[in-house]
């Protein structure tokens, strides 16, 4: 009987202080493979986005640079965050308190960077639609690169603030050996990673929607009375409106995936770390990283064409970066 009891413990030699090994439910095997499949798809699809935007010169635009930042964070979610969540749910924690602290810090940085990238995309579309004449001067490659760098630096700082107590004294909140538990600054996380970013996104896109509707009406009413030069202007405006619509869908899906987790905290509800409800809401947030490239595939012809060139290895040919993608 003692042997059976020992087999159920993470550290059999520490009978009184060891955690029990997690028990996989009857549906655990199916769920494990399903989540693993999502992780693989998330990594692969976002890698295709990263290669597409990085390789083809026609895709080197300021807007796509922001999409690249979002794709990098989504790629890391699939490569690091999802597998870590799956493994931790299946096994005991054997890597020590310091690695436990880093383990929780990385997901917070990546998810925070994803949220802030969404804010930058919203700002980009706001300037492009509401101030189209000033867009080339205001949104330059130098400023976008600086904004992306600040985005990731701020994500690091915000994550350190949220996990300050955990980083200061790793393992403080573990009840037994073989556990990796944190106590985060929930109010700070709610404000900095949800309320402020979501408020900015919603306000900007409400403004974009109003202006986009008025521009669409103006285009329809004057479409038959334009010169060739004006026709090019109309085409450019249509392109901007289409980009705004597509990125608006990306933002809407982002809100649907993130709202359940944070709205519970906003209403004063509590959720136990490690519970099935917490695991579901966390993976719903992570699943957003898989949905973004799927949206690109449906709405961006250049992405579908780039994927074909990548999958068929035509990108390995000399001069392939100059291919006509648009």
């Amino acid at each position: 009987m003692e042997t059976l009891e020992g087999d159920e413990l993470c550290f059999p030699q520490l009978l009184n202080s060891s955690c029990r090994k997690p028990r996989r439910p009857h549906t655990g095997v199916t769920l494990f493979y399903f989540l693993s499949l999502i992780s693989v798809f998330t990594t692969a699809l976002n890698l295709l986005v990263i290669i597409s935007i990085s390789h083809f010169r026609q895709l080197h635009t300021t807007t796509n640079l922001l999409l690249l930042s979002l794709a990098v964070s989504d790629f890391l979610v699939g490569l690091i965050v999802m597998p870590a969540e799956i493994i931790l749910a299946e096994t005991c924690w054997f890597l020590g308190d310091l690695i436990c602290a880093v383990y929780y810090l990385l997901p917070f940085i990546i998810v925070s960077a994803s949220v802030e990238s969404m804010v930058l995309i919203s700002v980009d579309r706001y300037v492009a639609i509401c101030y189209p004449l000033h867009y080339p001067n205001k949104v330059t490659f130098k400023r976008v690169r600086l904004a992306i760098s600040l985005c990731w630096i701020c994500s690091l700082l915000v994550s350190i603030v949220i996990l300050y107590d955990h980083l200061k004294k790793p393992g403080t909140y573990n009840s037994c050996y073989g556990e990796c538990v944190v106590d985060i600054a929930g109010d700070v996380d709610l404000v900095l990673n949800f309320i402020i970013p979501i408020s900015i996104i919603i306000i900007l896109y409400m403004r974009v929607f109003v202006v986009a509707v008025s521009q669409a009406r103006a285009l329809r009413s004057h479409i038959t009375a334009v010169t060739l030069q004006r026709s090019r202007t109309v085409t450019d405006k249509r392109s901007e409106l289409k980009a705004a619509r597509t990125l608006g869908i990306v933002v809407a899906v982002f809100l649907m995936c993130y709202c359940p987790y944070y709205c519970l905290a906003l209403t004063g509800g509590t959720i136990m770390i490690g519970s099935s409800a917490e695991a579901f809401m966390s993976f719903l947030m992570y699943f957003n990283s898989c949905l973004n490239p799927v949206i690109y595939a449906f709405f961006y012809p250049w992405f579908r064409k780039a994927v074909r060139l990548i999958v068929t290895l035509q990108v390995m040919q000399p001069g392939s970066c100059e291919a006509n993608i648009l």
Side-chain angles (χ1 to χ4, degrees):
M1 197 67 185
E2 291 181 1
T3 304
L4 291 174
E5 182 69 21
D7 290 340
E8 294 179 355
L9 298 176
C10 297
F11 295 91
Q13 68 273 22
L14 304 174
L15 291 176
N16 296 327
S17 56
S18 174
C19 299
R20 289 182 175 272
K21 294 179 180 179
R23 289 185 176 182
R24 179 186 290 180
H26 295 297
T27 58
V29 176
T30 304
L31 182 61
F32 174 82
Y33 286 114
F34 175 70
L35 296 178
S36 299
L37 188 63
I38 291 178
S39 176
V40 171
F41 270 112
T42 301
T43 304
L45 291 174
N46 283 287
L47 182 61
L48 289 173
V49 177
I50 293 171
I51 295 174
S52 299
I53 297 176
S54 302
H55 182 75
F56 298 105
R57 291 190 185 278
Q58 280 191 336
L59 301 181
H60 292 180
T61 65
T62 52
T63 300
N64 286 345
L65 198 58
L66 296 174
L67 290 180
L68 180 62
S69 174
L70 179 62
V72 169
S73 61
D74 289 342
F75 170 76
L76 293 175
V77 168
L79 184 66
I80 297 175
V81 180
M82 285 185 177
E85 288 281 345
I86 295 170
I87 293 172
L88 187 61
E90 296 288 324
T91 61
C92 300
W93 185 263
F94 297 109
L95 302 179
D97 295 335
L98 181 60
I99 302 300
C100 174
V102 176
Y103 160 77
Y104 275 103
L105 180 63
L106 284 176
F108 269 94
I109 295 173
I110 295 168
V111 173
S112 179
S114 182
V115 173
E116 293 183 26
S117 294
M118 283 291 186
V119 174
L120 293 179
I121 289 172
S122 301
V123 173
D124 174 78
R125 288 301 87 198
Y126 171 75
V127 177
I129 299 299
C130 299
Y131 303 98
L133 298 179
H134 299 286
Y135 181 80
N137 295 326
K138 287 187 175 183
V139 184
T140 62
F141 278 99
K142 184 177 180 180
R143 290 179 178 177
V144 170
R145 290 191 186 99
L146 178 60
I148 292 173
S149 300
L150 291 175
C151 163
W152 284 87
I153 292 172
C154 289
S155 299
L156 172 62
L157 296 178
V158 167
S159 301
I160 290 175
V161 171
I162 293 173
L163 294 169
Y164 179 75
D165 288 338
H166 178 61
L167 295 171
K168 187 177 180 181
K169 297 179 180 179
T172 302
Y173 303 98
N174 294 342
S175 59
C176 53
Y177 289 101
E179 191 175 44
C180 180
V181 178
V182 298
D183 182 32
I184 65 172
D187 293 339
V188 177
D189 180 32
L190 180 65
V191 172
L192 296 182
N193 281 339
F194 184 74
I195 294 179
I196 293 178
I198 296 305
S199 299
I200 294 173
I201 290 171
I202 291 176
I203 291 172
L204 291 180
Y205 258 93
M206 285 177 63
R207 176 61 178 163
V208 166
F209 176 76
V210 172
V211 175
V213 169
S214 63
Q215 287 187 4
R217 288 175 179 171
L219 287 174
R220 284 196 299 268
S221 62
H222 295 90
I223 193 67
T224 57
V226 293
T227 61
L228 177 61
Q229 184 177 1
R230 288 286 300 280
S231 295
R232 291 174 180 170
T233 303
V234 169
T235 302
D236 291 341
K237 285 186 177 181
R238 278 182 170 175
S239 178
E240 293 292 351
L241 291 173
K242 184 178 180 180
R245 182 187 63 185
T246 302
L247 296 176
I249 294 173
V250 171
V251 171
V253 171
F254 163 79
L255 292 175
M256 287 189 291
C257 291
Y258 276 70
C259 278
Y261 185 90
Y262 285 105
C263 283
L264 185 64
L266 192 62
T267 56
T270 57
I271 182 170
M272 184 182 298
I273 299 295
S275 65
S276 58
E278 188 270 340
F280 171 76
M281 290 185 180
S282 295
F283 257 93
L284 183 61
M285 285 197 304
Y286 303 151
F287 187 58
N288 174 249
S289 299
C290 183
L291 293 177
N292 287 336
V294 174
I295 295 172
Y296 304 153
F298 274 105
F299 292 95
Y300 283 137
W302 60 257
F303 180 61
R304 296 193 295 271
K305 189 172 182 179
V307 169
R308 283 196 297 270
L309 295 176
I310 294 170
V311 173
T312 57
L313 300 181
Q314 293 184 47
V315 292
M316 304 297 291
Q317 298 177 1
S320 60
C321 60
E322 304 292 345
N324 184 18
I325 296 297
L326 301 178

